Amino acid sequence: MWTEAYFPSADGSDVELHADVLRPANLPSDAKTPVILAVGPYFSHAGQTGPEGWTATGPSNRFEDFTRGTDLFARGYSYVMVDLRGFGGSTGCLDWVGPGEQADVKAAIRWAAKQPWSTGKVGMYGKSYDAVTGLVGNNLRIGALKAVVAQEPLWNMYPYLFSNGVPRPNVTGTPNAYNGIATMAALADDTDHYKANATYEKSHPECLSDNLTNNNNPDPDSPYWSARNLAAQARGTSTPLFITQGFIENNTKPEDVEKYLANHNGVERGWMGQWEHVRGNERNSQGQLLQGRADFFGEVMRFYDRYLKIIKPEVQDPAFGIEDSTGVWREQSTWPTPSSSTVADLPDGQYVDDGRPSTLAAQTATDGEQWDMEHYTDPAPQVTRGLSVVPLAGDTHSYFSWSTPTTSRLRITATPRFTMDASASGNVMVRLWDVAPNGTAVMFDENVALVRQAGRVAFDLKSTDWTFEEGHQLGIQVGTIGVSGWRGTPSGNTIQVTGARLSLALQDPQLDVPTQGDRSPFLNTYLRQYTKTLTGVGEGTFPLALGTRH
């Protein structure tokens, strides 16, 4: 049974929010049920990210796979979809997960909890942007919110558009894409109320222009970005949380996931592994689960039943299922769980910050395709047949440091951190490579930073879970931003690097506890894209070994 509702946001403004409400058809209209709530920009009656050609109005089918796949209504749940301000049938200016949208999430949770057909217990569900709003819900500390399922979210809004002061290719494309979603026309048979709200931007053109300029500040510590740092805001929160995160995600990357989980004090569950921007239940045309692990909906409903219906599950799911870079799954009580840590002191070196690609960097055409958070992917290297053989000598755009060969299998887990002293301003890119004895190497982690002035530079790479076989070496590449994933402005300076260090958390694979799951299909794609054969690999100047803590 579908109905529509309108209610005010929670910030005291004149913003009016629209909700589509789906209730079990076999229950009386006043029968109380728990509520699964999704809040986001993708629930317009006309389509998710653009018009989808519907001939009649109706609630969004964005998560119809979830409601059907779980038999949600037969299980005695109601489902509510709320449009964030500026989208669908809601008024107001879109706010990129800022204070306005956070007030919308607060209003939506409170409204869903107070309806006469609600038990007062609310769970949130989403993927991508509407997973982000689930994290916002946790951060708001509202008692009615009992559980959050967040698939492939952003943990901090800043790194989606910038990396440590360096713009990403979508820095203008993403705001433009959301402007397009916000201005989708209502359908002909939508109500007059819905139609009037959907045209809000016509009488408020500043909504669109402000959205193009508000979020182009490259300073992560600015008030704008501080208000959108969800990982920092999670400190001390306790809503039960079920997450998924791809370590090699090409869209919402694993940046600040470790900080968010560390700051969150409540129950945590998660699937983390080697996949792209996909849902836990999604399959490819060959029928393979894209995250590799079975029974996502079953585990999600056991999670909701436990915290919204207080039903003890008959199946005991592990807290975390983790797929490492070999495609093998293990269970853990939390993530990460390092066995030891080490700090690698790296040799001095230098590079020319000219923005030119290293001999290692395969390039592809890039022009910042304009995609929203649900669809945008970074430009990736061209996939070629066979392995390219790359000599390292004579490359002035970057330089390498090498570990000695590992003496046992080990895993780099958690979030590597790089620090260095730079002799001049410019840009820096750091890449980590897993190098086999025959020179075959896979780039498995990277990040960039703006070097504002000569002196100390420090930044995190992406969180990772990468297993090294015995005899492999870690290669650390430091140089100019010579790949298409960023829009840095080359300084032209020759930057001398001294005092460089790489902090790593290590894990012993011998301690792994196996759990069910298959190799996620995207892992093979990633390996094809980022594997090369290197010549001239050094013998190594620092150890990479378990059992050392510095």
Side-chain angles (χ1 to χ4, degrees), residues 207-470:
C207 293
L208 305 181
S209 58
D210 288 350
N211 186 51
L212 295 177
T213 57
N214 286 345
N215 52 20
N216 61 9
N217 185 342
D219 179 7
D221 298 321
S222 67
Y224 180 89
W225 290 118
S226 294
R228 292 158 175 81
N229 187 339
L230 304 183
Q233 295 167 10
R235 185 176 300 277
T237 58
S238 59
T239 310
L241 180 64
F242 186 151
I243 66 134
T244 75
Q245 177 64 65
F247 290 114
I248 51 178
E249 251 269 27
N250 50 15
N251 189 336
T252 55
K253 298 174 177 62
E255 297 178 282
D256 284 349
V257 55
E258 183 180 357
K259 292 179 182 178
Y260 194 103
L261 295 178
N263 281 338
H264 176 255
N265 293 340
V267 171
E268 292 174 355
R269 300 275 293 281
W271 292 12
M272 305 178 79
Q274 313 300 323
W275 51 75
E276 72 272 54
H277 196 62
V278 294
R279 304 179 186 189
N281 61 293
E282 278 190 88
R283 296 178 183 267
N284 61 18
S285 59
Q286 289 77 47
Q288 296 171 295
L289 285 163
L290 295 182
Q291 290 190 7
R293 185 170 165 86
D295 198 30
F296 179 73
F297 285 152
E299 189 167 337
V300 164
M301 292 315 299
R302 289 189 288 273
F303 180 73
Y304 280 144
D305 284 349
R306 171 67 182 86
Y307 295 105
L308 275 74
K309 290 188 173 182
I310 320 302
I311 297 174
K312 185 177 180 179
E314 295 181 0
V315 176
Q316 296 300 314
D317 298 298
F320 279 80
I322 312 291
E323 180 200 19
D324 78 352
S325 58
T326 68
V328 175
W329 286 79
R330 68 187 189 273
E331 65 175 71
Q332 293 185 177
S333 59
T334 187
W335 184 89
T337 56
S339 307
S340 60
S341 62
T342 187
V343 177
D345 293 310
L346 310 181
D348 298 342
Q350 69 177 35
Y351 62 93
V352 180
D353 180 33
D354 54 9
R356 295 178 61 189
S358 162
T359 52
L360 291 172
Q363 293 289 293
T364 186
T366 173
D367 220 2
E369 292 185 77
Q370 296 184 10
W371 291 116
D372 61 280
M373 192 190 301
E374 179 68 5
H375 295 101
Y376 178 81
T377 57
D378 277 347
Q382 295 284 9
V383 180
T384 56
R385 295 184 180 276
L387 300 174
S388 53
V389 179
V390 182
L392 300 178
D395 183 357
T396 61
H397 317 295
S398 65
Y399 76 96
F400 271 81
S401 304
W402 311 97
S403 75
T404 55
T406 59
T407 57
S408 65
R409 293 184 86 229
L410 59 81
R411 180 177 299 123
I412 295 178
T413 189
T415 310
R417 185 165 180 82
F418 179 80
T419 58
M420 72 174 193
D421 287 307
S423 65
S425 61
N427 305 275
V428 62
M429 179 180 71
V430 175
R431 287 183 143 189
L432 305 186
W433 295 77
D434 174 4
V435 187
N438 65 358
T440 301
V442 183
M443 194 284 293
F444 67 93
D445 204 350
E446 64 180 345
N447 210 344
V448 305
L450 177 67
V451 181
R452 300 182 185 277
Q453 59 186 10
R456 199 67 170 162
V457 180
F459 57 96
D460 289 342
L461 279 65
K462 296 180 293 185
S463 294
T464 188
D465 205 81
W466 198 270
T467 298
F468 278 60
E469 301 297 336
E470 182 179 343

Side-chain angles (χ1 to χ4, degrees), residues 410-550:
L410 59 81
R411 180 177 299 123
I412 295 178
T413 189
T415 310
R417 185 165 180 82
F418 179 80
T419 58
M420 72 174 193
D421 287 307
S423 65
S425 61
N427 305 275
V428 62
M429 179 180 71
V430 175
R431 287 183 143 189
L432 305 186
W433 295 77
D434 174 4
V435 187
N438 65 358
T440 301
V442 183
M443 194 284 293
F444 67 93
D445 204 350
E446 64 180 345
N447 210 344
V448 305
L450 177 67
V451 181
R452 300 182 185 277
Q453 59 186 10
R456 199 67 170 162
V457 180
F459 57 96
D460 289 342
L461 279 65
K462 296 180 293 185
S463 294
T464 188
D465 205 81
W466 198 270
T467 298
F468 278 60
E469 301 297 336
E470 182 179 343
H472 283 220
Q473 293 176 262
L474 172 63
I476 305 168
Q477 182 185 8
V478 180
T480 189
I481 304 174
V483 297
S484 53
W486 289 272
R487 290 183 174 175
T489 302
S491 66
N493 291 331
T494 296
I495 298 179
Q496 296 176 342
V497 177
T498 57
R501 311 183 86 191
L502 181 68
S503 301
L504 298 170
L506 306 178
Q507 189 174 15
D508 187 351
Q510 293 189 76
L511 304 178
D512 291 352
V513 178
T515 188
Q516 64 93 4
D518 296 325
R519 184 184 183 92
S520 52
F522 183 69
L523 177 55
N524 291 338
T525 301
Y526 182 89
L527 292 175
R528 287 196 302 271
Q529 291 177 335
Y530 289 101
T531 299
K532 296 187 178 298
T533 297
L534 311 182
T535 62
V537 176
E539 294 184 358
T541 59
F542 61 90
L544 184 65
L546 294 166
T548 57
R549 284 190 178 272
H550 297 285

